[in-house]
């Protein structure tokens, strides 16, 4: 999906690192992952599946295997997006997804604390 099709002012930056960003769209109830030259739309469940797939990649085995290149094809059932990533890009995407889900947890904890103070 092209960035030009989306009003960037309606997106909230959830988390960014040097390699990419994840944005949240409250209006469309989805997330946009800007990583590896690709701007891809995910719903909440798909973003969780992407995180699980990336977390399960064994970087050490990928780097130590001398019989194949250190690239991994990242996708899952029901996903229309495919990423071909090097070991360093996998680490960057893993960091991006971990940071994003940490922000979700932090936001929930802050909301919970504020709710307790008010009521």
């Amino acid at each position: 999906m092209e960035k030009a099709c989306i009003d960037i002012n309606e997106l909230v930056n959830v988390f960014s690192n040097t390699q990419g960003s994840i944005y949240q769209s409250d209006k469309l109830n989805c997330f946009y992952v800007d990583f590896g030259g690709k701007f891809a739309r995910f719903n909440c469940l798909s973003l969780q599946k992407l995180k699980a797939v990336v977390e399960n990649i064994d970087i050490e085995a990928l780097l130590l295997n001398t019989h194949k290149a250190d690239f991994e094809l990242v996708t899952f059932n029901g996903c229309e997006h495919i990423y071909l990533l090097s070991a360093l890009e996998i680490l960057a995407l893993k960091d991006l997804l971990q940071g994003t889900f940490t922000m979700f947890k932090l936001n929930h904890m802050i909301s919970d604390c504020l709710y307790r103070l008010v009521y």
Side-chain angles (χ1 to χ4, degrees), residues 23-98:
Y23 301 97
Q24 178 178 341
S25 172
D26 293 331
K27 182 178 180 182
L28 299 173
N29 199 23
C30 64
F31 298 95
Y32 291 95
V33 177
D34 186 8
F35 185 82
K38 185 180 227 179
F39 195 73
R41 179 180 174 171
F42 292 91
N43 62 24
C44 187
L45 184 60
S46 295
L47 194 64
Q48 289 174 335
K49 286 181 181 179
L50 178 64
K51 183 179 183 290
V53 167
V54 172
E55 291 287 330
N56 287 330
I57 297 173
D58 187 1
I59 299 291
E60 185 176 340
L62 186 66
L63 291 172
L64 293 176
N65 188 350
T66 59
H67 299 293
K68 68 175 195 172
D70 65 337
F71 286 91
E72 188 75 26
L73 196 62
V74 178
T75 190
F76 54 89
N77 285 344
C79 180
E80 59 189 46
H81 307 290
I82 297 173
Y83 293 94
L84 179 62
L85 304 174
S86 69
L88 291 176
E89 291 171 326
I90 292 169
L91 289 173
L93 182 57
K94 189 181 285 191
D95 174 61
L96 183 65
L97 291 166
Q98 286 174 345

